[in-house]
Amino acid sequence: MNMIDRAIRAVSPVWGVKRAAARRALTVIDRADQRVSQRFVGKPADWDRNTGNPDDARLGRVVDRRRVLELVAQDPFARKALAALVNNTVGWGITGAPKKAPATFRNLWNDWLKICDWNGRLNFYGLQELAVRTMFREGECFIVLQQLSLQDAAGTVPLRLQLLDAGMLATGLTSFQGNSVVHGVEYDARGRPVAYHFYQGRPNQLWVSYQTVRILAADVIHLFVQEYVGQRHGVSVFNTVVKRLGDIDEGVEAELVRKNIEACFAAFITQGVDDEGRLFGALDADAPTPVEGLQAETLTPGMINRLAPGEGVRFGDPKASGGLAEILRLALLSSAAGTGITYEHFGDLSNVNFSSYKAGNLEFQRSTGRIQFNTIIPVFLDRVAARFQEAAFTAGMMANRTYEMNWAPPPFESIDRMGDVQADILEMAAGVESRQNLVVARGHDPDQLRADIATDRAANKLAGLVFAGDFPPTQYAAAKDPAAATAAPAN
């Protein structure tokens, strides 16, 4: 407090208190302005010119990670949106098969898929789902490639995958051996990530540990969808809809409370008094006074409550919110646009027909396919396959160091199977599509599918079974009844 404040307080304590309160209010405002300014990376003046730093041209992360986690854990629409993204991006898993690889490699790969989890709980496809779910929900996920000794591997390929989320990043570090560390990621002088720093235990929990572990960038897969040049961290798909989904939840809750109040029909009984001021029913001074009703402060359906003499009841009249359904629909429509799904994925199919649903679903398939082939496969799956082959070759389990992998995402179920199959046949007949591409698009390995068909047909022939799909239509009758086909025609 300065000299002027002391003088004013001595002359007029009231004005002194007002000045002190105003000063505290200004302090709060200054701190709020400072927090807002920290949301932007770079100087405000840099927004109007190109500084060469890509972070100067966009907002930083403005939604806290914990807030997003709480939203997805509590809000049903957020959970539905996340499930729709995961179901259509990885589904039951993006399968991979080597091209022109020996059976030894296939067997090693198939066996490793079952035991690749560092924690020993999920298989490779379960880890895919968990990693992609974490990426969509929090913006990013870290897959650590853990190399085992041959003794610990016990005859399997000595590689395991450990998944970590952004909450494990050691954000308190700022430098390491001359390199800068930003949000747990260590960069060299050219701005390239060289290592990641993680906590040994999760902060703010019982097994907390602020000891850090440094892992080279070559052993860490940083999975996130990159939308900007120079982007270093991912952004949650719920980043733009956290408030909107919260408003939807509050609006629905308010409407349900209003309906509950309307349903609370209640009856009240008021007791009168006689000329002497006694309650009716009290015959003499020795008779017990009837017990009055409890002073209820809540309403329950069918409630009957007794009031004291002289008390009355006046009810509020909750009004219905007009147009609530349309407002909620528009809010969900904007939430769907922000998360990258269609409105119908929230579960409302009342306003669509076959054509509109198929057109909207095709656009959604394109967006999920873009994430599959531009992010998940090259950033995550190809690196895992390359490290697997390196580990197997180093351990003496493979003759060659590398084999090209063919990845096949789960197929999208056809809405019109007959129409789509006929279109596929016409495209193959016209020479604009190949059978192999169609097989891969359905999530199958062409070589494996060909072997399965041959095995199935050989088994059917051995058992004397003939099915229409085993032969062209013109040969089906002859294959089914050879004797009838070779018999002489009747005169």
Side-chain angles (χ1 to χ4, degrees):
M1 182 178 296
N2 54 35
M3 184 180 300
I4 297 177
D5 290 333
R6 292 192 184 94
I8 293 176
R9 186 180 64 175
V11 176
S12 176
V14 175
W15 282 102
V17 171
K18 290 182 178 181
R19 282 179 60 88
R23 192 179 301 280
R24 285 194 298 269
L26 290 174
T27 302
V28 172
I29 294 173
D30 291 340
R31 291 176 180 175
D33 291 341
Q34 183 179 5
R35 287 194 298 268
V36 172
S37 64
Q38 290 175 351
R39 295 179 179 180
F40 300 91
V41 181
K43 300 177 182 179
D46 293 336
W47 283 73
D48 297 329
R49 61 189 178 89
N50 184 6
T51 64
N53 183 0
D55 289 334
D56 288 338
R58 62 176 180 271
L59 285 168
R61 231 188 288 192
V62 298
V63 178
D64 184 73
R65 172 177 172 270
R66 182 178 297 277
R67 187 179 178 189
V68 174
L69 293 178
E70 292 176 351
L71 172 75
V72 179
Q74 300 173 4
D75 188 87
F77 292 112
R79 293 183 63 86
K80 190 66 173 65
L82 181 60
L85 288 170
V86 175
N87 289 342
N88 289 273
T89 305
V90 293
W92 55 76
I94 300 177
T95 58
K99 295 181 179 179
K100 300 179 181 179
T104 304
F105 177 85
R106 292 178 179 271
N107 294 335
L108 286 174
W109 175 254
N110 292 331
D111 292 340
W112 181 80
L113 296 180
K114 305 173 185 177
I115 48 90
C116 61
D117 186 5
W118 173 260
N119 296 318
R121 186 172 185 270
L122 301 174
N123 61 12
F124 184 58
Y125 303 114
L127 291 179
Q128 284 185 28
E129 177 189 346
L130 183 58
V132 173
R133 181 183 297 274
T134 304
M135 179 190 71
F136 282 131
R137 182 181 60 231
E138 306 175 30
E140 56 194 352
C141 181
F142 301 90
I143 301 97
V144 181
L145 305 173
Q146 297 282 5
Q147 191 77 25
L148 301 180
S149 63
L150 295 179
Q151 182 178 359
D152 294 336
T156 62
V157 176
L159 176 68
R160 299 294 183 268
L161 305 180
Q162 181 183 14
L163 268 58
L164 300 174
D165 56 37
M168 295 296 292
L169 283 174
T171 56
L173 293 177
T174 57
S175 62
F176 183 85
Q177 295 182 355
N179 292 331
S180 61
V181 180
V182 182
H183 295 298
V185 184
E186 179 182 340
Y187 300 94
D188 60 13
R190 299 178 62 181
R192 298 175 300 184
V194 295
Y196 292 83
H197 296 261
F198 298 100
Y199 291 116
Q200 288 184 348
R202 186 176 299 278
N204 301 324
Q205 292 195 4
L206 295 179
W207 52 290
V208 59
S209 173
Y210 288 99
Q211 298 295 323
T212 61
V213 177
R214 181 177 184 266
I215 302 178
L216 295 178
D219 297 327
V220 178
I221 298 174
H222 190 181
L223 181 63
F224 67 94
V225 177
Q226 185 169 349
E227 299 178 343
Y228 305 99
V229 176
Q231 185 176 348
R232 296 177 175 179
H233 289 275
V235 179
S236 169
V237 297
F238 300 100
N239 192 66
T240 59
V241 299
V242 170
K243 185 179 183 302
R244 183 58 49 84
L245 288 176
D247 292 341
I248 293 173
D249 191 52
E250 292 178 359
V252 173
E253 182 69 20
E255 183 65 13
L256 291 176
V257 170
R258 186 187 67 81
K259 290 292 185 182
N260 290 334
I261 293 175
E262 288 181 349
C264 291
F265 176 80
F268 298 88
I269 301 174
T270 302
Q271 292 177 296
V273 296
D274 56 16
D275 295 336
E276 297 180 0
R278 295 184 305 172
L279 293 175
F280 288 122
L283 301 180
D284 52 49
D286 295 332
T289 303
V291 179
E292 299 180 6
L294 297 177
Q295 300 300 310
E297 295 182 355
T298 59
L299 290 177
T300 58
M303 181 184 73
I304 299 177
N305 194 53
R306 188 178 298 273
L307 299 179
E311 293 184 339
V313 178
R314 184 169 58 185
F315 289 98
D317 185 16
K319 302 296 184 181
S321 301
L324 179 62
E326 185 63 24
I327 293 175
L328 291 179
R329 185 178 182 277
L330 291 176
L332 286 177
L333 184 61
S334 64
S335 299
T339 55
I341 65 174
T342 64
Y343 170 78
E344 288 72 26
H345 280 102
F346 280 128
D348 184 8
L349 301 176
S350 59
N351 296 319
V352 296
N353 53 35
F354 176 81
S355 300
S356 63
Y357 181 79
K358 188 173 183 179
N361 202 46
L362 287 175
E363 178 66 22
F364 179 63
Q365 290 178 12
R366 289 190 185 95
S367 63
T368 53
R370 169 177 53 82
I371 296 175
Q372 289 170 345
F373 288 95
N374 293 345
T375 299
I376 298 176
I377 291 177
V379 177
F380 178 18
L381 302 183
D382 280 344
R383 286 191 59 185
V384 169
R387 179 59 69 90
F388 167 84
Q389 296 178 51
E390 180 69 23
F393 178 80
T394 305
M397 299 179 179
M398 283 174 45
N400 295 331
R401 185 182 294 272
T402 58
Y403 293 99
E404 185 179 358
M405 295 291 293
N406 184 29
W407 298 102
F412 290 99
E413 287 77 8
S414 175
I415 303 175
D416 180 15
R417 294 188 62 186
M418 179 175 291
D420 292 341
V421 169
Q422 291 175 348
D424 292 340
I425 294 174
L426 291 176
E427 288 182 350
M428 286 190 295
V432 296
E433 184 59 278
S434 67
R435 184 182 302 272
Q436 179 170 336
N437 288 342
L438 295 176
V439 170
V440 171
R442 293 185 176 218
H444 302 293
D445 177 13
D447 295 335
Q448 186 64 39
L449 179 64
R450 191 178 298 109
D452 292 342
I453 293 175
T455 302
D456 183 63
R457 289 186 175 179
N460 292 339
K461 183 177 181 181
L462 184 63
L465 301 176
V466 179
F467 299 101
D470 294 337
F471 298 93
T474 56
Q475 302 178 13
Y476 172 65
K480 185 176 181 181
D481 191 2
T486 58
N491 294 330

